[in-house]
Amino acid sequence: MKSLFRKSLFHAGRVPDPALLDGHRSLIRRIERRGLIRGGLSLGALTMLAGCDVKTPDSVEAALRAVSAFNDVVQALLFDPGKLAPTYPASMVLKPPKFNAYYDIMDVRPVDGQSWRLELSGRIAEKTPWSLQQIAALPEKEEIIRHICVEGWDYIGQWSGPPLGDFLKRVGADTRAKYVNFFTADDYPSSIDMATALHPQTLLATRYAGETLAAPFGYPLRLRTATKLGFKNPKSITAIEVTNTYMPGYWEKRGFNWFSGI
Amino acid sequence: MKTVETAAGTRRLHPLPLRIMHWLNAVAMIVMITSGWGIYNDSVIIGGLHFAHALRLGSWAAESLLWHLAGMWLLMINGFFYLLYGLVTGRFRERLFPIGIADLVQTVRDTLHLRIAHDDLTRYNAVQKLLYVVVVIAGISQVVTGMAIWKPVQFSGLVSLFGGFQGARLVHFLGMAVIVGFLVVHVALSLLVPRTLWAMLAGGPRIPRPVRRRRIAT
């Protein structure tokens, strides 16, 4: 295993100003066509400039994000809710798992399991917060799946916890809603589509390799989906919201594709 | 049964649709290669090999990914029509085949003796033919491995074909290397014989249309 402190884009020192990219998605969807045409025209010219340290013009940025939004639609169509990700033998499990976050492992903020509650909001009938003991009493599932990072590396991990789909049905969530949003103790908001939330290999994981999740890997509860890239699996979840309103996650605000299905 | 030969006049060496597809492909390839270099750097395949910032499209990985996953549509759609065109019009068969071994050896020998004859633009030598065939196959392979990397769960069968996710990444990387190698030779030769470059812009010399053999029942 490589050093836990390896330099990665998830520790990127210089990222585009979030304020610049924030909340432009609905606007982008509206100007999709115009942006595409304009962007297409500048595309050829920009290719020639690829070598120079120029800032991508806003029109090109908008066109690229419009295509990314289009790719969300294509990926939702490609996603087969019945298709299971390959699973692996326990001998292939990496222990401990690989740490990766937008912050350094030294900056992990510990969560107190006793006072921790899972809050529920949005299109959910039973919004009473859940304690860790209540979560632990739910039927669990275990899966040994491949974690694939958007950067290109991967490892096999063994996760267990209640399936998110079962949990959503238990609390009376509107499963026809579009999105399930997550809010976390490490300020890493994230959102996934309902189809992925209901996939049998999408878990609210509480344990790794049979043991309680360690703090850096998302104690006490994290999302673990077998059908999305690593960054779509928020750690230390404190609230779940079911909604029809799109909310870009931490990395989506910085330019990564939202659906990011695998 | 009787074979009838129909004369069909002349046409440009490179018909307009082909020229448009060639230049669209040039843009798509450059976008895919340079944005791919931007993505590669975050998890290198060959230790120590990094692509300089100046060579990359996109100021950081997220932007390179946006370019790569937008450029793929141009590459795939244009590539699809190019393959369809080459097969339906018979251009592939006419220009790229057959590739004779003796011909291949002779061309290599001539090249090593610095005899690069290119008087007749309308005839490709065996090495040229082979290079074009290889780069078309590499292009198709890039789309297939690209799909495996983009959707390793949905296309898990494709991934196992390449010996796993990292295997698919490796083949995708090698495909890029083949295409970049081709590009270096292709661009260098077109600059050595600028008439070929001009032909891809203006259409080139007029050549007789390929004789169509049609079998008709008598």
Side-chain angles (χ1 to χ4, degrees), chain A residues 118-140:
Chain A
L118 179 64
E119 315 257 346
L120 302 175
S121 66
R123 305 176 73 84
I124 292 176
E126 289 292 326
K127 293 200 178 81
T128 319
W130 285 62
S131 73
L132 208 47
Q133 288 74 25
Q134 288 171 299
I135 297 276
L138 292 173
E140 285 188 355

Side-chain angles (χ1 to χ4, degrees), chain A residues 16-24 253-254:
Chain A
D17 181 5
L20 203 73
L21 312 172
D22 221 346
H24 279 47
K253 283 181 188 167
R254 288 155 178 82

Side-chain angles (χ1 to χ4, degrees), chain A residues 19-262:
Chain A
L20 203 73
L21 312 172
D22 221 346
H24 279 47
R25 199 163 191 100
S26 60
L27 180 72
I28 287 162
R29 285 187 200 270
R30 260 187 285 131
I31 59 165
E32 188 161 335
R33 278 177 44 137
R34 218 173 354 143
L36 266 176
I37 295 163
R38 238 186 316 153
L41 291 174
S42 2
L43 189 132
L46 201 90
T47 308
M48 304 302 148
L49 292 174
C52 314
D53 200 13
V54 288
K55 192 197 170 300
T56 311
D58 289 347
S59 60
V60 175
E61 179 84 40
L64 288 174
R65 281 171 175 257
V67 178
S68 190
F70 170 72
N71 285 344
D72 286 340
V73 177
V74 174
Q75 292 181 88
L77 292 173
L78 282 176
F79 178 74
D80 175 358
K83 171 108 184 168
L84 294 181
T87 53
Y88 303 88
S91 58
M92 293 176 77
V93 173
L94 178 73
K95 289 177 221 174
K98 235 174 146 141
F99 174 79
N100 211 324
Y102 69 89
Y103 46 84
D104 206 273
I105 196 163
M106 303 303 284
D107 300 326
V108 171
R109 280 170 278 179
V111 174
D112 173 24
Q114 280 306 308
S115 60
W116 177 89
R117 292 291 181 277
L118 179 64
E119 315 257 346
L120 302 175
S121 66
R123 305 176 73 84
I124 292 176
E126 289 292 326
K127 293 200 178 81
T128 319
W130 285 62
S131 73
L132 208 47
Q133 288 74 25
Q134 288 171 299
I135 297 276
L138 292 173
E140 285 188 355
K141 204 176 151 179
E142 184 183 271
E143 61 190 18
I144 300 179
I145 51 167
R146 190 177 292 277
H147 173 118
I148 294 177
C149 179
V150 67
E151 295 181 320
W153 51 264
D154 67 298
Y155 74 89
I156 288 164
Q158 179 180 10
W159 306 90
S160 35
L164 175 61
D166 292 354
F167 180 78
L168 289 177
K169 283 168 198 154
R170 186 179 285 263
V171 296
D174 175 8
T175 53
R176 290 161 310 167
K178 285 186 190 162
Y179 309 106
V180 180
N181 295 345
F182 301 90
F183 302 90
T184 71
D186 60 353
D187 293 324
Y188 186 85
S190 189
S191 95
I192 62 170
D193 56 299
M194 183 58 79
T196 301
L198 299 177
H199 188 271
Q201 287 171 309
T202 299
L203 305 183
L204 290 173
T206 54
R207 279 178 296 136
Y208 183 84
E211 287 173 34
T212 304
L213 279 178
F217 307 112
Y219 177 82
L221 179 103
R222 69 170 297 172
L223 186 69
R224 196 61 197 91
T225 161
T227 57
K228 284 203 188 291
L229 289 172
F231 81 89
K232 297 294 290 185
N233 295 273
K235 299 167 192 164
S236 305
I237 296 169
T238 54
I240 296 178
E241 179 191 25
V242 174
T243 175
N244 283 315
T245 310
Y246 172 77
M247 175 195 81
Y250 183 92
W251 286 113
E252 288 90 329
K253 283 181 188 167
R254 288 155 178 82
F256 282 95
N257 173 265
W258 170 70
F259 195 93
S260 288
I262 57 174

